[in-house]
Amino acid sequence: MQHQQDPQQHQQDHATFTRPGLAAKPVNLAMCQDLARVKPVDKKVQIIGRYVVSPNETIQYDYAGVTVRFVFVGTRLRLRMNGGRNHFNVVLHGLTSGEYQHSRFGTDDEIAEYVIADHLRPDQAYDVRIVKRTEPKLRTWVTEFALVELVEILIENGKLLPALARPPRRIEFVGDSDTTAYQVCGETSDTTPSPQNQDVTCSWAHIASQHVQAEASFVAWSGKGVKKNACHCLLKYCACDGLVVPELYPRALASLPASEAQMDWGQWVPDAVVILSLIHISEPTRLLSISYAVFCLKKKKNTIKNRNNINSLVI
């Protein structure tokens, strides 16, 4: 079976955007003659990036770029989730036809059902990736993103299939707005940030990981630095919590202290860690004791203790 190469996901000129709540239409489950209910902790479901498992076997996450990937056959695919007002990309790959479909959708801050794909061929297996395009706790003038909780995967007239082989490499990217592609889809004339204009799959980090066939995990926040944060003067008191990267890095969930969401360092072990922040490249902090170089060295020492098979650190 020959598969077409996945086109670069940042070229989504024809993708359709669904406003929050539009996709969350009530569904009469009694009318679904064959409905497969899948917990996101199922071993056939791949989670790429940082996440935690709740006592109810739901998946919680909030970092940009966290990807839920699985293979299924069926006529309709839905997700039951609390999207926390975040925005997501969907990449649907027909494994028989080789065709790719790209779409995106917004969510509400409550548990609802979202139609991810409809009118599918019942005789074809599909590989689907749902990518969180927005960063954790991104504040605009009126909005703050919340935690994502994936409750259930619903497949009509079909079932979950064994997962495809994962890419041979894993890279963790630590950075700021350049890593999360903040406002990358907006116009240069835009003065107010919009969640619709952020897409981590357009970032240099995501594109680079695709070129080297690697899974990517993003530990990044707009405006966050090692020594200090870069915040707009009008928003620094309401948009910046004062925490810097060394304080935030140990968090399994970016919006919760490490003490409230324990990090499993063996959950997703990178082959390389790439750390880049334009906030500090242009500032004279590299000679300070809290510079990026010192943070990298400290981080390498700690990660070697917790991840014995990490191979390299790239600065």
Side-chain angles (χ1 to χ4, degrees):
M1 182 184 299
Q2 294 183 349
H3 299 166
Q4 292 183 357
Q5 185 178 359
D6 189 355
Q8 293 182 351
Q9 295 182 28
H10 62 286
Q11 295 178 345
Q12 297 186 17
D13 296 338
H14 302 290
T16 58
F17 176 74
T18 303
R19 290 179 296 173
L22 216 76
K25 298 178 180 179
V27 178
N28 187 352
L29 298 182
M31 298 178 61
C32 302
Q33 297 180 356
D34 186 3
L35 179 65
R37 294 176 173 272
V38 180
K39 288 286 188 180
V41 294
D42 191 295
K43 293 183 178 180
K44 296 177 183 177
V45 179
Q46 299 174 350
I47 311 293
I48 304 168
R50 293 188 179 188
Y51 67 94
V52 298
V53 179
S54 75
N56 297 326
E57 295 188 325
T58 64
I59 295 295
Q60 297 177 331
Y61 58 93
D62 58 359
Y63 283 98
V66 172
T67 300
V68 178
R69 184 179 187 181
F70 54 90
V71 179
F72 74 100
V73 61
T75 58
R76 196 184 199 200
L77 174 65
R78 291 178 280 125
L79 296 183
R80 186 165 176 259
M81 65 187 296
N82 182 339
R85 297 187 298 273
N86 287 279
H87 297 253
F88 299 81
N89 287 343
V90 178
V91 181
L92 188 69
H93 178 201
L95 297 181
T96 302
S97 65
E99 296 179 349
Y100 284 88
Q101 299 178 31
H102 295 266
S103 61
R104 52 187 180 180
F105 67 98
T107 61
D108 292 320
D109 190 13
E110 61 183 2
I111 293 180
E113 290 185 7
Y114 296 87
V115 177
I116 304 303
D118 205 352
H119 306 295
L120 301 176
R121 289 172 47 183
D123 59 342
Q124 176 168 242
Y126 293 91
D127 172 33
V128 65
R129 283 170 285 170
I130 301 100
V131 186
K132 183 175 180 290
R133 59 186 282 154
T134 42
E135 67 184 74
K137 299 199 70 157
L138 168 65
R139 292 172 171 86
T140 65
W141 295 101
V142 295
T143 297
E144 179 182 324
F145 294 157
L147 194 68
V148 177
E149 182 175 21
L150 178 57
V151 178
E152 201 172 23
I153 300 168
L154 304 172
I155 305 171
E156 295 183 22
N157 304 310
K159 62 180 180 180
L160 195 66
L161 297 178
L164 297 179
R166 303 182 77 145
R169 304 176 184 88
R170 295 180 177 183
I171 304 176
E172 183 178 73
F173 295 93
V174 181
D176 53 21
S177 56
D178 292 280
T179 304
T180 62
Y182 179 75
Q183 195 69 4
V184 70
C185 299
E187 299 293 336
T188 56
S189 58
D190 289 345
T191 58
T192 304
S194 168
Q196 299 182 25
N197 294 331
Q198 182 172 27
D199 187 352
V200 71
T201 65
C202 297
S203 70
W204 65 270
H206 187 274
I207 295 171
S209 66
Q210 284 192 316
H211 278 289
V212 297
Q213 299 182 29
E215 289 185 349
S217 176
F218 303 86
V219 185
W221 304 259
S222 292
K224 291 297 184 180
V226 170
K227 174 64 177 178
K228 62 179 180 179
N229 297 322
C231 299
H232 192 282
C233 60
L234 296 179
L235 295 177
K236 65 179 180 179
Y237 295 107
C238 61
C240 294
D241 52 20
L243 298 176
V244 289
V245 172
E247 297 171 293
L248 294 168
Y249 181 80
R251 294 185 173 188
L253 299 174
S255 55
L256 292 178
S259 59
E260 296 184 27
Q262 187 174 3
M263 182 68 183
D264 180 1
W265 293 104
Q267 183 183 82
W268 191 91
V269 181
D271 299 299
V273 178
V274 179
I275 304 175
L276 176 64
S277 173
L278 295 184
I279 294 173
H280 287 85
I281 287 178
S282 59
E283 295 180 359
T285 59
R286 58 184 179 274
L287 299 179
L288 301 178
S289 59
I290 193 61
S291 69
Y292 255 92
V294 173
F295 168 60
C296 294
L297 292 175
K298 289 181 179 179
K299 179 185 178 303
K300 184 175 183 180
K301 181 179 179 181
N302 291 333
T303 53
I304 288 176
K305 289 181 181 179
N306 296 289
R307 314 181 195 183
N308 292 327
N309 58 340
I310 190 169
N311 294 324
S312 60
L313 181 75
V314 183
I315 302 174

